[in-house]
Amino acid sequence: MTKVEGMIVNSLSLCYHNKVILAPMVRVGTLPMRLLALDYGADIVYCEELIDLKMLQCKRVVNEVLSTVDFVAPDDRVVFRTCEREQSRVVFQMGTSDAERALAVARLVENDVAGIDVNMGCPKEYSTKGGMGAALLTDPDKIEKILSTLVKGTHRPVTCKIRILPSLEDTLSLVKRIERTGIAAIAVHGRKREERPQHPVSCEVIKTISEALSIPVIANGGSHDHIQKHLDIEDFRQATAASSVMVARAAMWNPSIFLKDGLRPLEEVMQKYIRYAVQYDNHYTNTKYCLCQMLREQLESPQGRLLHAAQSSQEICEAFGLGVFYEETTRELDARRADLLARTPEEVGESAEDISGVIKMAVKFDRRAYPPQITPKMCLLEWCRREKLAQPVYETVQRPLDRLFCSVVTVADKKYQSTLWDKSKKLAEQTAAIVCLRSQGLPEGRLSEESSSLHKRKWEAPDQDPGGPRAQEPALPGELCKKPFVVLRNSEESSLEGR
């Protein structure tokens, strides 16, 4: 496993033969549950289904406080969080109905996960209403396009998870077509789209699929009838002739189902889960939901009532005798945050070669000091055009701890940066442009300066927000995220605006 520009790149190829796997489960398959399943012996863990459109709004943030990689939505909600502990064994499952969106999501996350999976079996409305999940089963052409695009476009193994069709003939025709796309494995839930857990799982259909395909088949759907303890996992695998077994509800009820030595007491399992939830800042509502799934019939017990009443992570910890652990852990996390916030920009996550030769000044951009529609970025762009230089390239990073921004502009192979951090990406880029202009002794468009050609020239887009992304500004090359920042790229912003 190697690290490249703040990202952890998994160089291992995931194997799907003879594995026990934590199934993707909405609201359950978050980081604490995945880590717990790995602790108890799961070979591979799937995250919950995450919708492509939502993921494409996210920014990748290296969280140095938690030692995680976070994919954060515009409302600051963490949509997907992972860590180095699981990165060689976590599979990212997406909900999608579009090949190009699927590929964009895969490329967004592929350096932080071990595999990419497409949900083609979820029968719930939130998945099927957008043509995703089990709705794809009626459109084999779209299935083929999505999977073929992913196989060709990502360097991670691609899989999908399906349900069986009403007829065995149609099911076999579909899975053989799926196999020809080049995917690494296929997970089969042995129920039809309209069937629910109370309906028996069709082991014989999964077995027929397993015998018909040359790629690994992962059997799923055995929790209700077949899997109550670890030894049952192997029995289910043999009954379906599958390469591997994917466990859902049995693992949700007690993740120690993966432990070869047998189930651990539920109290012990829940306490271990809570510790992970606190250490990785899991939202208390998600923690509470997962614990309720474990307690099940014990929800009316004294501890169940305490859990039901809990309205914070601290109250959950206190309900399970972990109050001291919560206080110690939160103090440690707060200390990490304080330490990171106290660092100067030069100290935070930059390697020597990255900062050497960067020209720096302590400047700020004050919009009131400039005429309408005239900014330092415009002045710098105009100067570069006049001098026949390449357009300025801005590399903007955000510090997740305080949400402040810093930008470095490259002009004629030299880099310029303000040592002061700004409240927005636009402001940070303007201050970087000011540093460059002042270093070169060039006018920056201030009201106090003499008129320049920019003042006389009508701007092509007079209603353009000053400092905002423009068509003539080039996208930043490559992944530029460096700990502990999130990178903002003009090309990403433009692509999202049209979605």
Side-chain angles (χ1 to χ4, degrees):
M1 190 172 290
T2 57
K3 293 188 178 182
V4 179
E5 293 186 350
M7 71 180 76
I8 300 170
V9 178
N10 175 10
S11 58
L12 299 177
S13 178
L14 200 59
C15 173
Y16 291 92
H17 287 282
N18 197 28
K19 305 296 182 184
V20 287
I21 302 169
L22 177 70
M25 291 178 281
V26 173
R27 298 184 68 186
V28 175
T30 48
L31 182 58
M33 181 63 78
R34 299 197 304 267
L35 294 177
L36 193 57
L38 289 174
D39 285 350
Y40 284 127
D43 297 304
I44 300 171
V45 291
Y46 279 56
C47 75
E48 61 179 331
E49 177 194 27
L50 296 171
I51 306 302
D52 56 3
L53 289 172
K54 186 66 174 178
M55 283 300 299
L56 290 175
Q57 299 175 34
C58 291
K59 297 294 183 183
R60 181 184 184 277
V61 178
V62 178
N63 187 329
E64 287 209 0
V65 174
L66 301 178
S67 297
T68 60
V69 173
D70 300 343
F71 292 84
V72 184
D75 61 1
D76 292 334
R77 185 173 67 90
V78 176
V79 177
F80 176 59
R81 170 169 287 163
T82 186
C83 66
E84 187 172 3
R85 162 84 171 86
E86 68 168 1
Q87 281 179 327
S88 64
R89 293 196 278 176
V90 63
V91 174
F92 181 91
Q93 188 189 66
M94 72 176 82
T96 186
S97 60
D98 180 83
E100 295 307 316
R101 287 202 305 267
L103 182 58
V105 173
R107 288 177 172 169
L108 177 66
V109 303
E110 65 181 353
N111 287 319
D112 299 300
V113 300
I116 304 293
D117 184 81
V118 179
N119 184 342
M120 299 183 177
C122 181
K124 300 296 180 65
E125 183 183 0
Y126 65 80
S127 187
T128 59
K129 67 181 179 183
M132 301 175 291
L136 287 169
L137 297 176
T138 60
D139 194 342
D141 290 339
K142 183 176 288 186
I143 288 177
E144 182 176 357
K145 184 175 182 181
I146 291 173
L147 294 177
S148 297
T149 300
L150 286 172
V151 169
K152 294 173 184 176
T154 180
H155 60 275
R156 290 285 169 262
V158 176
T159 58
C160 67
K161 184 172 182 287
I162 69 165
R163 284 186 172 233
I164 60 177
L165 300 178
S167 80
L168 178 60
E169 182 182 0
D170 289 342
T171 302
L172 290 175
S173 175
L174 177 63
V175 297
K176 288 177 181 178
R177 188 169 180 180
I178 288 174
E179 181 180 39
R180 289 194 294 270
T181 65
I183 63 170
I186 182 170
V188 180
H189 185 131
R191 292 184 178 88
K192 300 180 180 70
R193 174 175 175 173
E194 67 276 6
E195 292 180 329
R196 293 299 177 264
Q198 63 269 25
H199 296 98
V201 62
S202 300
C203 292
E204 285 301 318
V205 175
I206 300 177
K207 183 177 181 180
T208 303
I209 295 172
S210 300
E211 294 170 345
L213 300 184
S214 59
I215 60 173
V217 172
I218 305 167
N220 176 234
S223 291
H224 190 272
D225 300 321
H226 296 267
I227 302 174
Q228 279 81 44
K229 57 185 183 299
H230 181 80
L231 290 176
D232 297 335
I233 297 175
E234 176 59 20
D235 292 341
F236 183 58
R237 190 189 70 78
Q238 292 186 12
T240 57
S243 297
S244 299
V245 173
M246 178 178 280
V247 186
R249 284 168 302 124
M252 176 180 70
W253 297 328
N254 190 331
S256 68
I257 190 77
F258 296 109
L259 195 63
K260 293 180 179 179
D261 295 336
L263 292 169
R264 301 301 302 163
L266 194 58
E267 177 80 11
E268 173 188 316
V269 173
M270 290 191 295
Q271 286 200 358
K272 192 169 183 179
Y273 173 83
I274 292 169
R275 288 177 182 271
Y276 273 134
V278 174
Q279 289 169 347
Y280 287 100
D281 197 24
N282 200 50
H283 196 279
Y284 87 90
T285 56
N286 180 255
T287 302
K288 183 175 177 178
Y289 175 83
C290 291
L291 291 171
C292 286
Q293 306 312 305
M294 295 184 203
L295 277 177
R296 300 170 71 195
E297 66 273 4
Q298 300 179 43
L299 281 172
E300 294 304 317
S301 67
Q303 191 170 62
R305 288 194 291 269
L306 286 173
L307 174 62
H308 181 72
Q311 295 299 311
S312 66
S313 293
Q314 183 174 7
E315 291 180 7
I316 291 174
C317 286
E318 291 170 350
F320 287 82
L322 293 171
V324 174
F325 169 80
Y326 175 84
E327 293 175 0
E328 291 175 348
T329 304
T330 52
R331 277 199 301 268
E332 180 182 345
L333 294 178
D334 288 343
R336 290 183 198 171
R337 291 188 184 96
D339 177 65
L340 287 169
L341 287 173
R343 299 183 191 179
T344 64
E346 291 84 354
E347 293 174 322
V348 183
E350 301 280 359
S351 59
E353 60 267 25
D354 289 330
I355 63 172
S356 62
V358 178
I359 299 171
K360 299 181 181 180
M361 292 182 185
V363 299
K364 284 279 190 178
F365 171 67
D366 184 353
R367 191 67 186 85
R368 296 167 297 181
Y370 297 82
Q373 301 171 13
I374 300 297
T375 67
K377 285 183 69 177
M378 292 170 57
C379 293
L380 181 57
L381 179 62
E382 179 73 9
W383 180 76
C384 288
R385 285 173 170 170
R386 192 165 57 245
E387 297 298 317
K388 296 184 175 11
L389 297 173
Q391 296 178 0
V393 175
Y394 294 87
E395 302 176 10
T396 306
V397 295
Q398 183 182 24
R399 199 162 54 186
L401 294 168
D402 55 12
R403 313 297 291 176
L404 295 181
F405 295 79
C406 182
S407 187
V408 176
V409 63
T410 302
V411 176
D413 297 325
K414 291 186 178 180
K415 296 181 181 293
Y416 304 85
Q417 170 192 344
S418 173
T419 59
L420 304 179
W421 291 65
D422 288 287
K423 293 182 178 179
S424 73
K425 173 181 180 289
K426 297 176 183 179
L427 292 174
E429 291 181 349
Q430 297 291 356
T431 56
I434 292 172
V435 174
C436 179
L437 291 165
R438 291 185 184 178
S439 299
Q440 299 295 324
L442 299 170
E444 59 191 72
R446 295 174 66 91
L447 287 168
S448 57
E449 296 174 353
E450 294 183 2
S451 296
S452 69
S453 60
L454 263 177
H455 291 69
K456 299 174 184 177
R457 181 170 62 87
K458 183 178 180 181
W459 185 244
E460 291 89 346
D463 59 345
Q464 176 74 45
D465 186 9
R470 301 185 178 95
Q472 73 271 21
E473 293 177 1
L476 298 185
E479 172 59 74
L480 296 167
C481 185
K482 299 183 177 67
K483 294 183 179 180
F485 309 119
V486 56
V487 173
L488 305 180
R489 297 180 283 186
N490 290 341
S491 60
E492 291 179 1
E493 294 171 348
S494 300
S495 65
L496 289 179
E497 288 171 359
R499 295 192 186 280

